[in-house]
Amino acid sequence: MEQLFSLLDSTIRVATPLVLAALAGMFSERSGVVDIGLEGKMLVAAFAAAAAAFVTHSPWLGLLAGIMASVSLAMVHAFVSVTYNGNQLISGMAINTIASGITPVLGLAWFQQGGNTPQLDDDSRFHDISLPFADALSNVPVIGHLYSKLLSGHSILVYLTILIIPVVSWVVYRSRFGLRLRAVGENPHAADTAGVSVARVRYIALFWGGVLCGVAGTFLSVYQTGSFIKEMTAGKGFLALAALIFGKWRPLPAVLGCLLFAFADASQIRLEGVDLPIVGQIPSQAIQVIPYVLTVLLLAGFVGRAVAPKAIGVPFVKSR
């Protein structure tokens, strides 16, 4: 039971940046803009957050810096894809390439630590929060264990993510902006005829996507590792995009996809060095690819049934 709760606890931590990135991609792609630059925005946010937190000794200023860096790249993507109707895939790949190159260069120039940032002290990091009565309920069977060992003891960014999920669902399906977002992603010409500014909706969608990627990147550097490490996102942006496709561009199914990938990732950490029946110890390299193999298998089974927003990736030219 202890191992199960430990595994589920790790799943929540690993899933947090995936969920944030998937919801960011959902905003963008629901508006009709392909966003494969999630990885780059997370990476730049992780660097900016770690650097700012190290200099200011404030994790909150680090979070602000991470969000600003991510939003800046999101606005570049919007400028290329929305204002000038550029190729959205190339723009996203350019963002990933820029982020992969500029973060170690700046890290080396500013901190002289091989492209990484220095380890943050305790005051500069987000820490785990113990929920009320967690210690008192720790001995209560099942419910107490769920509360004290699974729900309690996470960073404030984890709890913020849990709150963001229903808010995003409400925005997409219940708010006026959500209606316009879905209309622009399905039929931008009809939305434009109805008086909706397609460019404005897409810019707003990409802005909030940048905010969420900024929080995800900050989680990785200012909370999870305590510093920026080169290429520390390690494909999480692409995993989030896969979870979004798996969830058919809907918030809650996408979150479930992220939890599934995170569970596979958390499991592979615990399989290293363990003797399994018949096969014995599995090489660490084979274990590390488990989440990515799962991604391929799931997409192979579901991507054919997932119907993307009809206008996704299609440049919008306003009728005269």
Side-chain angles (χ1 to χ4, degrees), residues 153-168:
H154 294 287
S155 163
I156 191 171
L157 297 181
V158 174
Y159 299 118
L160 178 63
T161 302
I162 294 173
L163 291 176
I164 285 174
I165 295 170
V167 170
V168 169

Side-chain angles (χ1 to χ4, degrees), residues 238-314:
F238 296 107
L239 283 177
L241 194 59
L244 180 63
I245 297 171
F246 169 76
K248 300 180 181 179
W249 291 268
R250 293 179 294 173
L252 294 182
V255 169
L256 292 177
C258 292
L259 289 172
L260 183 60
F261 293 148
F263 182 80
D265 196 5
S267 299
Q268 60 100 358
I269 296 173
R270 284 159 175 75
L271 286 175
E272 292 187 13
V274 176
D275 287 320
L276 299 177
I278 302 176
V279 297
Q281 287 191 12
I282 301 177
S284 60
Q285 295 85 351
I287 293 174
Q288 290 170 0
V289 303
I290 289 177
Y292 306 98
V293 172
L294 178 63
T295 302
V296 173
L297 293 176
L298 287 176
L299 290 181
F302 288 92
V303 72
R305 307 174 207 170
V307 179
K310 293 180 181 178
I312 189 170
V314 180

Side-chain angles (χ1 to χ4, degrees), residues 13-54:
R13 296 173 190 269
V14 174
T16 298
L18 295 179
V19 169
L20 290 167
L23 295 178
M26 189 202 64
F27 270 120
S28 176
E29 302 208 346
R30 274 287 192 172
S31 73
V33 180
V34 176
D35 194 358
I36 62 173
L38 298 173
E39 181 87 0
K41 286 182 280 188
M42 290 172 63
L43 190 61
V44 165
F47 174 80
F54 176 76

Side-chain angles (χ1 to χ4, degrees), residues 15-92:
T16 298
L18 295 179
V19 169
L20 290 167
L23 295 178
M26 189 202 64
F27 270 120
S28 176
E29 302 208 346
R30 274 287 192 172
S31 73
V33 180
V34 176
D35 194 358
I36 62 173
L38 298 173
E39 181 87 0
K41 286 182 280 188
M42 290 172 63
L43 190 61
V44 165
F47 174 80
F54 176 76
V55 172
T56 64
H57 300 284
S58 170
W60 293 104
L61 290 177
L63 174 62
L64 178 62
I67 291 175
M68 290 175 63
S70 177
V71 168
S72 297
L73 282 185
M75 291 299 97
V76 170
H77 185 48
F79 184 73
V80 173
S81 302
V82 179
T83 302
Y84 280 96
N85 289 324
N87 189 296
Q88 298 168 10
L89 290 173
I90 293 177
S91 175

Side-chain angles (χ1 to χ4, degrees), residues 131-304:
L131 296 180
F133 310 111
D135 293 335
L137 296 173
S138 61
N139 294 324
V140 177
V142 185
I143 296 178
H145 289 171
L146 282 173
Y147 182 75
S148 62
K149 296 182 179 180
L150 188 59
L151 297 181
S152 180
H154 294 287
S155 163
I156 191 171
L157 297 181
V158 174
Y159 299 118
L160 178 63
T161 302
I162 294 173
L163 291 176
I164 285 174
I165 295 170
V167 170
V168 169
S169 297
W170 181 86
V171 168
V172 172
Y173 291 112
R174 300 292 181 183
S175 70
R176 178 180 296 179
F177 172 75
L179 177 62
R180 293 179 176 180
L181 179 76
R182 288 179 284 126
V184 166
E186 292 294 332
N187 194 330
H189 291 284
D192 179 64
T193 302
V196 176
S197 173
V198 175
R200 182 173 181 272
V201 170
R202 289 181 172 177
Y203 262 93
I204 293 173
L206 285 163
F207 171 83
W208 286 113
V211 171
L212 293 175
C213 281
V215 179
T218 302
F219 177 90
L220 293 174
S221 61
V222 181
Y223 169 67
Q224 196 169 68
T225 62
S227 67
F228 173 81
I229 303 170
K230 287 190 297 184
E231 305 293 348
M232 68 184 305
T233 48
K236 287 182 174 60
F238 296 107
L239 283 177
L241 194 59
L244 180 63
I245 297 171
F246 169 76
K248 300 180 181 179
W249 291 268
R250 293 179 294 173
L252 294 182
V255 169
L256 292 177
C258 292
L259 289 172
L260 183 60
F261 293 148
F263 182 80
D265 196 5
S267 299
Q268 60 100 358
I269 296 173
R270 284 159 175 75
L271 286 175
E272 292 187 13
V274 176
D275 287 320
L276 299 177
I278 302 176
V279 297
Q281 287 191 12
I282 301 177
S284 60
Q285 295 85 351
I287 293 174
Q288 290 170 0
V289 303
I290 289 177
Y292 306 98
V293 172
L294 178 63
T295 302
V296 173
L297 293 176
L298 287 176
L299 290 181
F302 288 92
V303 72

